[in-house]
């Protein structure tokens, strides 16, 4: 209720421009990463903050309310109860004019002599934080079958309207999303058959007694992991003739694809389009962030969240992973910005 009221109360940028000409920080995006950055900046006393998002509905996570979580409940609780990151906290901050929040899009960012000009004269800012999110990649890997968008395939009620019992649905990938789609298809009453094209075998996250999680970002968790173990890795669905799995590093999928009438691609995410950006008149291209601090331009431009993930090393296998998830965003933002607003890798209060 409070979150809804907060969202409704926010004015649209097009109707109510910002009423101050300059802020210390501009935060672009109000998904989980945007919330984490704003709450950390507030705790650091780094204000005022201008905050812009077209909807203020918690970003992409709001699209997955019917999707089984891969986050343990206690971590959702930690995210929601960390000071100032609740909607109540944000609401109070808005009332206190520490945060100026507007619904809208940031289309251009021009850094001139150390000061950002936002949307060509909308306001100026010392620092900009991009928490602009990502969307599912839509690589046309296998042309032919009719595409079902991943976001529809993840939600059982939407998926059932997109497939018939006569379909054979090809699902590309072996990630958490791919397994959720297979689960939705193959647990559907009178559901279709499925073909799964994959390049790496199924991996499962492992929860250690010391609190660390092995394959935390790439391993299956929760109900997706339970289902995959029981029905896929056991070979049960293949024996029943409902699922055919093809390792495309070893076998050509062309023959199996001929039977596919629908296609769902679940091969990862890519950054949403960024605002046009320039530095002293020169266009910024090929944006790279420091994967340990989020810095894009020191002291001026930072990236957070799924679009600019922190890189972590898996404690058992030693490979690098992008650290993506609500609690991880919060921990990362706190590590960077709660030390009097100055990046400090060695400070962490949560
Ligand atoms: C199937 C599935 C299940 C998942 N389950 C979980 C889970 O259980 N736990 C978990 O922690 N994560 C989960 N995730 C991941 C989670 O959805 C993402 O990690 C999270 O939404 C990313 O947050 P973000 O803030 O970086 O980006 P987003 O949530 O994408 O938010 C970005 C926001 O920025 C706005 N924006 C973009 N450009 C501009 C602009 N120019 N101006 C203004 N605003 C802009 C967007 O409109 C959006 O509101 C899941 C993902 C999938 C696909």
């Amino acid at each position: 209720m409070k979150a809804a009221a907060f969202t409704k109360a926010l004015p649209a940028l097009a109707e109510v421009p910002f009423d101050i000409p300059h802020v210390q920080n501009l935060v672009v995006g109000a998904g989980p990463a945007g919330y984490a950055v704003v709450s950390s900046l507030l705790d650091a006393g780094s204000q005022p903050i201008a905050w812009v998002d077209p909807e203020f509905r918690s970003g992409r996570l709001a699209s997955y309310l019917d999707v089984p979580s891969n986050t343990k409940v206690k971590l959702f609780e930690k995210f929601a109860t960390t000071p100032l990151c609740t909607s109540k906290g944000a609401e109070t901050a808005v009332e206190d004019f520490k945060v100026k929040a507007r619904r809208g899009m940031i289309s251009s960012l021009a850094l001139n002599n150390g000061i950002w000009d936002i949307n060509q004269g909308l306001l100026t800012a010392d620092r900009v934080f991009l928490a602009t999110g990502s969307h599912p990649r839509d690589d046309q890997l296998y042309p032919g079958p009719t595409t079902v968008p991943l976001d529809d395939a993840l939600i059982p009620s939407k998926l059932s309207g997109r497939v018939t019992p006569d379909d054979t649905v090809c699902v590309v990938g072996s990630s958490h999303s791919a397994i959720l789609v297979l689960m939705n298809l193959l647990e559907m009453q009178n559901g279709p058959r499925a073909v799964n094209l994959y390049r790496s075998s199924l991996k499962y996250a492992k929860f250690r007694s010391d609190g660390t999680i092995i394959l935390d970002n790439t391993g299956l968790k929760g109900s997706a992991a339970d289902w995959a173990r029981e029905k896929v890795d056991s070979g049960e669905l293949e024996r029943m003739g409902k699922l055919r799995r093809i390792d495309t590093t070893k076998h050509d999928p062309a023959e199996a694809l001929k039977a596919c009438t629908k296609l769902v691609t679940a091969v990862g995410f890519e950054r949403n389009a960024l605002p046009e950006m320039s530095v002293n008149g020169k266009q910024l291209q090929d944006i790279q962030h420091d994967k340990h601090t989020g810095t894009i331009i020191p002291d001026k431009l930072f990236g957070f969240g799924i679009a600019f993930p922190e890189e972590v090393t898996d404690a058992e296998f030693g490979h690098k992973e992008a650290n993506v998830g609500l609690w991880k965003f919060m921990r990362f933002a706190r590590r960077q910005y709660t030390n009097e607003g100055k990046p400090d890798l060695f400070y962490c209060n949560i």
Side-chain angles (χ1 to χ4, degrees):
M1 283 289 284
K2 285 221 161 66
F6 168 54
T7 304
K8 209 171 164 200
L10 287 177
L13 201 48
E15 289 153 21
V16 187
F18 285 106
D19 52 6
I20 47 171
H22 182 81
V23 289
Q24 191 164 359
N25 306 295
L26 168 75
V27 178
V28 189
Y35 272 79
V37 171
V38 167
S39 72
S40 298
L41 289 171
L42 285 170
D43 273 1
S46 185
Q47 44 185 271
I49 301 163
W51 192 11
V52 180
D53 183 280
E55 293 187 292
F56 280 90
R57 279 174 43 84
S58 311
R60 282 196 77 77
L61 216 55
S63 337
Y64 302 132
L65 294 181
D66 293 337
V67 176
S69 162
N70 59 7
T71 300
K72 283 188 179 287
V73 171
K74 70 174 183 210
L75 293 182
F76 279 121
E77 281 172 2
K78 268 183 162 181
F79 180 83
T81 53
T82 297
L84 291 171
C85 83
T86 59
S87 60
K88 179 66 192 155
E91 195 180 352
T92 314
V94 171
E95 280 163 10
D96 291 350
F97 301 108
K98 292 173 189 158
V99 178
K100 308 263 177 189
R102 294 284 187 279
R103 283 182 291 117
M105 287 294 281
I106 296 301
S107 53
S108 74
L109 298 166
L111 183 65
N112 297 312
N113 303 319
I115 300 289
W116 287 103
D117 170 29
I118 320 293
N119 281 12
Q120 299 185 338
L122 180 73
L123 84 163
T124 56
D126 292 330
R127 304 191 296 183
V128 172
F129 297 81
L130 298 172
T132 42
S134 299
H135 58 275
R137 267 169 52 191
D138 186 21
D139 305 10
Q140 300 291 317
L141 295 172
Y142 302 107
T146 307
T147 299
V148 178
L150 178 62
D151 278 352
D152 285 358
L154 283 167
I155 298 167
S157 56
K158 285 194 180 170
L159 182 61
S160 59
R162 305 290 301 245
V163 296
T164 70
D166 296 332
D167 276 323
T168 298
V169 183
C170 176
V171 179
V172 185
S174 54
S175 62
H176 183 70
S177 300
I179 294 302
L180 288 172
V181 173
L182 285 171
M183 185 162 86
N184 290 346
L185 286 168
L186 298 170
E187 294 298 320
M188 194 184 290
Q189 261 205 329
N190 257 331
R193 280 183 305 277
V195 172
N196 180 211
L197 305 184
Y198 66 96
R199 286 196 307 202
S200 48
S201 56
L202 296 180
K203 297 189 188 98
Y204 298 90
K206 206 162 73 186
F207 296 83
R208 280 178 168 174
S209 55
D210 66 359
T212 53
I213 306 174
I214 305 305
L215 299 177
D216 189 8
N217 296 283
T218 50
L220 299 173
K221 294 177 185 164
S223 55
D226 296 342
W227 183 83
R229 271 200 186 94
E230 192 190 323
K231 303 276 179 86
V232 181
D233 262 346
S234 67
E236 181 183 316
L237 286 165
E238 289 197 80
R239 282 193 298 278
M240 289 166 70
K242 291 187 78 175
L243 172 67
R244 182 171 171 203
R245 298 195 77 221
I246 299 173
D247 178 347
T248 57
T249 63
K250 295 186 183 138
H251 305 284
D252 184 350
E255 205 49 44
L257 273 162
K258 281 187 195 154
C260 291
T261 47
K262 303 272 164 68
L263 180 87
V264 183
T265 306
V267 293
F269 283 70
E270 64 189 348
R271 259 182 217 164
N272 291 332
L274 296 172
E276 291 279 312
M277 288 186 272
S278 64
V279 176
N280 297 327
K282 200 163 168 252
Q283 215 177 0
L284 257 190
Q285 281 165 335
D286 187 28
I287 311 289
Q288 305 280 349
H289 71 295
D290 180 318
K291 292 181 177 134
H292 301 288
T293 65
T295 303
I296 300 169
I297 300 175
D299 206 32
K300 288 291 151 201
L301 182 63
F302 305 87
F304 282 94
I306 194 168
F308 300 95
E310 179 191 15
E311 187 176 82
V312 290
T313 304
D314 186 85
E316 188 169 309
F317 298 104
H319 62 269
K320 311 270 188 217
E321 290 190 345
N323 212 19
V324 170
L326 267 70
W327 177 241
K328 296 164 190 171
F329 298 154
M330 182 60 80
R331 209 170 41 193
F332 186 56
R334 288 300 157 102
R335 208 162 64 223
Q336 309 307 324
Y337 291 104
T338 37
N339 189 14
E340 294 169 351
K342 295 191 182 70
D344 182 343
L345 284 173
F346 304 104
Y347 183 86
C348 180
N349 70 345
I350 52 176

